[in-house]
Amino acid sequence: MLSFLANPDRFMAFSRWAAPMFGVLAGLLIAVGLWLGFAAPEDYQQGDTVRMMFIHVPASWLALFVYLCLGVASFLSLVFRHALADAAAKAAAPLGAVFTALALITGSLWGKPMWGTWWVWDARLTSVLVLFLFYLGYIALRAAMDDETRGGRAAAILALVGLVNLPIVKFSVDWWNSLHQGASVFRADGPAMTNDYLIPLLLMGLGYMAAFGSLWLVRIRAEVWRRRAMVLALKAAEA
Amino acid sequence: MPDLDTGKYALFVWPAFAVSAIGFAWMIADSLARARRWKAEVERLGGKAGR
């Protein structure tokens, strides 16, 4: 699949129909997820704040997943020097930064009524903040260098270094004492919630994933066009 | 049926949903604007934007 899409023309043909398809799918999944999420009974301990789970948890999943995509694309860009992989990495970073910011902000809004504080410097929250800073660092490093190729390589190395943070985010609640609760969906002994909450949460998770897929493809297409425009402008200047 | 009454937690629940909506709106608007801008630029320079 990756080698098939590595050809820019094939990628543009594929993404032309895949991007809107993922977008429509995202809209449907999120609409049904929100409907079921607000139809679910309020939690006996957390009351109506439990509804924030349907936006906070998917944003957190995407914060990690998008960084994994950024890391893989950066690796392929560094090893194979493939322009499309570099475009994919560049396109993923702002989306990942937004999902991470959403995870932090919605988590803070959930934390205040449940923990009594907006923020605490515990392992989970701090490691997600570090993840956000890696995204910002990646974007800033690319933008800081005049030579796009050098900027892309430097940023790719930073992205690979940041991969170390992903297992720290995931397992921080197991390795250290934390106010943040442990995993409640992807657990060895099954999800720790009833279907009333699990189904809308999974629908929202898939909806966020489809939304990312759609927006990522649109941004990669934009980057391919930007690079074509640069080449055309250079040719026009030489002529 | 969905129950939109979030009671005493409304001050926390609705801002969280509003911020998420703003985040999505920005991602959609910025992504589409970039794609339109660069596709138009390729066509303006006489290249084929292709599919």
Side-chain angles (χ1 to χ4, degrees):
Chain A
M1 184 70 177
L2 273 180
S3 60
F4 173 79
L5 291 176
N7 178 304
D9 285 335
R10 278 200 295 257
F11 170 80
M12 293 302 268
F14 162 78
S15 59
R16 188 179 179 217
W17 61 264
M21 193 194 75
F22 279 131
V24 170
L25 185 64
L28 289 173
L29 286 167
I30 290 173
V32 177
L34 285 175
W35 180 279
L36 294 177
F38 276 93
E42 66 180 67
D43 184 70
Y44 80 107
Q45 280 183 320
Q46 302 196 24
D48 276 303
T49 62
V50 74
R51 313 211 186 278
M52 283 193 264
M53 175 174 72
F54 304 122
I55 48 174
H56 170 70
V57 174
S60 307
W61 287 342
L62 265 292
L64 293 174
F65 178 72
V66 176
Y67 200 91
L68 188 63
C69 293
L70 173 61
V72 170
S74 296
F75 175 78
L76 294 175
S77 159
L78 271 179
V79 173
F80 299 107
R81 305 273 168 109
H82 200 288
L84 204 55
D86 182 54
K90 184 181 178 186
L95 301 175
V98 172
F99 281 119
T100 312
L102 290 180
L104 287 168
I105 295 167
T106 56
S108 181
L109 284 161
W110 197 2
K112 180 62 179 169
M114 290 300 103
W115 300 340
T117 180
W118 299 103
W119 180 263
V120 59
W121 291 100
D122 85 345
R124 170 57 68 83
L125 277 70
T126 307
S127 57
V128 174
L129 181 64
V130 169
L131 180 67
F132 183 59
L133 295 176
F134 266 109
Y135 276 121
L136 295 188
Y138 179 91
I139 295 166
L141 194 53
R142 281 199 84 112
M145 293 197 188
D146 289 333
D147 183 339
E148 270 197 42
T149 309
R150 281 188 62 210
R153 284 200 198 125
I157 291 167
L158 178 68
L160 291 179
V161 172
L163 282 175
V164 173
N165 191 41
L166 295 189
I168 296 175
V169 173
K170 168 71 182 150
F171 297 110
S172 54
V173 287
D174 303 319
W175 293 342
W176 295 285
N177 287 323
S178 172
L179 267 180
H180 199 284
Q181 70 180 69
S184 50
V185 177
F186 301 112
R187 296 162 15 121
D189 50 351
M193 65 178 77
T194 65
N195 283 341
D196 287 334
Y197 300 112
L198 184 63
I199 290 171
L201 178 59
L202 291 178
L203 288 173
M204 289 295 284
L206 289 172
Y208 271 49
M209 189 78 85
F212 165 66
S214 175
L215 294 169
W216 195 23
L217 290 176
V218 169
R219 293 183 86 90
I220 298 171
R221 287 170 68 79
E223 183 61 19
V224 169
W225 280 323
R226 189 187 70 83
R227 292 178 187 196
R228 281 186 189 168
M230 294 294 140
V231 172
L232 288 169
L234 207 62
K235 279 184 184 165
E238 285 170 355
Chain B
M1 284 297 287
D3 178 10
L4 298 180
D5 180 12
T6 51
K8 63 181 179 179
Y9 296 119
L11 276 176
F12 301 100
V13 174
W14 292 116
F17 278 87
V19 167
S20 298
I22 291 167
F24 267 90
W26 180 84
M27 287 193 287
I28 293 166
D30 185 65
S31 303
L32 291 178
R34 277 169 192 271
R36 284 191 187 134
R37 178 189 165 195
W38 290 113
K39 186 181 182 189
E41 186 68 8
V42 169
E43 287 167 349
R44 189 185 69 78
L45 290 164
K48 276 175 66 181
R51 292 165 293 188

